[in-house]
Amino acid sequence: MSKPIVAIVGRPNVGKSTLFNALAGERIAIVQDFPGVTRDRIYADVTWLDKQFTMIDTGGIEPESNDVLLSYMRQQAEIAIQTADVIVFLVDVRQGLVDNDFKVADMLRRSTKPIVLVVNKVDNFDKLMPDVYEFYNLGIGDPHPVSASSKLGLGDMLDEVVSHFNPADMKEEEDDRPRIAIVGKPNVGKSSIINKLIGEDRVIVSDIAGTTRDAIDTPVKYHGKEFVFIDTAGLRRKSKIKEEIERFSIVRTVSAVERADIVVLVIDGMEGVTEQDAKIAGIAHERGKGVIIAVNKWDAVEKDDKTIYKYTNEIKGTLSYMPYAEMIFISALTGQRLTKLFDLIEKVIQNQNLRIATGVLNEIMAEAVALQQPPSDKGKRLKLYYITQVSIKPPTFVIFVNDKELMHFSYTRYIENKIREAFGFSGTSLKFFIRERKEKE
């Protein structure tokens, strides 16, 4: 089931990132410092009462001139509108109501998406309420006062946000067709791949970087089986704000990855892996999705008998935190090896849904422990009692041990490698949870 997406929109310096950090809490720090997993998080998982959602911060830039600012905010709001289920429109009580707030409000109103108007920097509710009421003039409903920096009023605001989640919108899970997101930087050939797979030009592609307009779901049949391809849009670029737009194209990627079972990361064979690729791969890895790396434009790469090995090693080096990812070298232009993509997708789906009997898992673990003694600290040795698989997509395991502190990341990785040696699990990440059990249990 895909989680609702909530986007925070507003002018620069109204406190978008402060609000984002207050809601995301310290949980933002749980991303391991793998190379390529972004530090400047623009999305986080938030749980309020029994509801979970993904929050996106569209913040953080102030272009020099007013007209650039407006066109930038327009693009930003457009992306939020297209991507989000609920929009939090943030304004600043200290700056009061300004012209650009009206302009953004107009755009948001036209979107017909639910909008929660939030007035930030209200450090004193008694004194500042008259200033808060001024924002009724925007004509988009009740203003909700908060202070992001003092964490005041956030509960009432979140109640309002989650009240807009529509149970009907969340019922995508009845559709059991595998969902495949085609992601990658602008202009690496994502739309051309989908066009080739459906065999017609359903997606308008021109050679200007970033001309695809929006994420498009395309059902594709192959050998009688139906798949849904999610094409993430590139963006029209304006050179002045290109870097920020790059950052926002990640917003769309996050929402596509969120909805997908398998992520096909398209890399430009002429360019090799870039930092942006690594970021996108990091999102898929963190979300526990199946991952296939498709190196496109392979027809244009000058090759000798070592090229593929060189490429494979370079990509595996950059994406070292996901050695399980499947790789395929394709050309959307010539159609080379594109049908192989379906075979890989099938294989990854099977691996994502693989369940392993508890008895077999415990045999593998016992053998692993016998081969390499678990670590000890100050005379206390780690004991692994029991392992069991608790879910699929991605396959998730719980290991019961005597002391969680002793279970180093590296030993968990060692157990994971042993399980992969036995069952492959290529194309999918595996998740491990470590639980403590007292000796007597």
Side-chain angles (χ1 to χ4, degrees), residues 267-273 293 295-298 300-303 306-318 327-329:
I267 287 175
D268 185 328
M270 304 294 286
E271 260 189 81
V273 192
I293 296 164
V295 183
N296 189 22
K297 309 188 186 173
W298 195 239
V301 175
E302 290 198 14
K303 296 180 271 295
K306 308 230 172 18
T307 315
I308 272 202
Y309 297 111
K310 197 174 116 257
Y311 255 81
T312 306
N313 290 336
E314 185 192 320
I315 292 171
K316 284 212 183 301
T318 310
M327 261 165 93
I328 183 169
F329 293 86

Side-chain angles (χ1 to χ4, degrees), residues 59-83:
I61 162 188
E62 173 126 47
E64 316 79 275
S65 71
N66 240 352
D67 50 323
V68 174
L69 174 62
L70 207 66
S71 72
Y72 174 72
M73 287 186 58
R74 193 170 295 129
Q75 273 174 316
Q76 190 184 323
E78 270 171 18
I79 296 170
I81 288 165
Q82 289 161 0
T83 315

Side-chain angles (χ1 to χ4, degrees), residues 138-317:
L138 287 171
I140 47 176
D142 300 334
H144 296 269
V146 303
S147 163
S149 58
S150 319
K151 297 190 168 62
L152 297 172
L154 300 184
D156 293 347
M157 180 196 90
L158 285 169
D159 286 345
E160 178 65 24
V161 168
V162 301
S163 73
H164 292 289
F165 294 165
N166 180 354
D169 291 346
M170 305 303 147
K171 67 174 187 302
E172 254 177 21
E173 75 269 26
E174 288 159 24
D175 182 354
D176 57 359
R177 297 176 299 183
R179 306 177 76 81
I180 292 101
I182 306 277
V183 302
K185 297 202 317 294
N187 223 27
V188 291
K190 299 185 291 286
S191 300
S192 317
I193 290 173
I194 291 184
N195 290 348
K196 262 293 197 285
L197 294 174
I198 35 185
E200 52 174 310
D201 279 356
R202 284 272 296 276
V203 191
I204 306 153
V205 183
S206 74
D207 283 344
I208 311 158
T211 43
T212 351
R213 283 297 292 271
D214 203 350
I216 303 161
D217 286 15
T218 314
V220 178
K221 259 201 157 83
Y222 180 74
H223 288 335
K225 234 187 121 169
E226 226 179 86
F227 301 86
V228 178
F229 281 88
I230 305 167
D231 174 19
T232 48
L235 278 158
R236 287 140 305 156
R237 303 264 196 93
K238 291 202 175 65
S239 58
K240 213 169 208 172
I241 42 186
K242 178 174 159 230
E243 292 73 37
E244 283 66 42
I245 293 301
E246 287 275 84
R247 182 164 177 251
F248 284 116
S249 53
I250 288 200
V251 172
R252 284 190 179 150
T253 303
V254 172
S255 77
V257 167
E258 196 68 72
R259 288 169 50 218
D261 302 306
I262 291 180
V263 174
V264 176
L265 172 62
V266 184
I267 287 175
D268 185 328
M270 304 294 286
E271 260 189 81
V273 192
T274 64
E275 191 183 335
Q276 179 95 338
D277 295 324
K279 272 185 184 171
I280 296 172
I283 295 168
H285 170 73
E286 214 177 287
R287 289 295 198 246
K289 303 296 181 176
V291 180
I292 296 171
I293 296 164
V295 183
N296 189 22
K297 309 188 186 173
W298 195 239
D299 53 309
V301 175
E302 290 198 14
K303 296 180 271 295
D304 58 31
D305 55 352
K306 308 230 172 18
T307 315
I308 272 202
Y309 297 111
K310 197 174 116 257
Y311 255 81
T312 306
N313 290 336
E314 185 192 320
I315 292 171
K316 284 212 183 301

Side-chain angles (χ1 to χ4, degrees), residues 318-375:
T318 310
L319 307 178
S320 56
Y321 52 88
M322 46 195 314
Y324 55 83
E326 282 283 0
M327 261 165 93
I328 183 169
F329 293 86
I330 59 170
S331 162
L333 191 66
T334 64
Q336 177 189 16
R337 276 198 285 277
L338 269 186
T339 50
K340 285 246 168 59
L341 191 55
F342 285 107
D343 302 337
L344 264 190
I345 288 168
E346 283 283 359
K347 178 177 162 189
V348 175
I349 290 169
Q350 282 173 355
N351 286 335
Q352 281 184 305
N353 289 289
L354 194 55
R355 281 189 187 275
I356 297 173
T358 302
V360 179
L361 279 173
N362 282 285
E363 277 171 29
I364 293 172
M365 187 170 80
E367 195 176 307
V369 169
L371 282 171
Q372 188 175 326
Q373 209 179 24

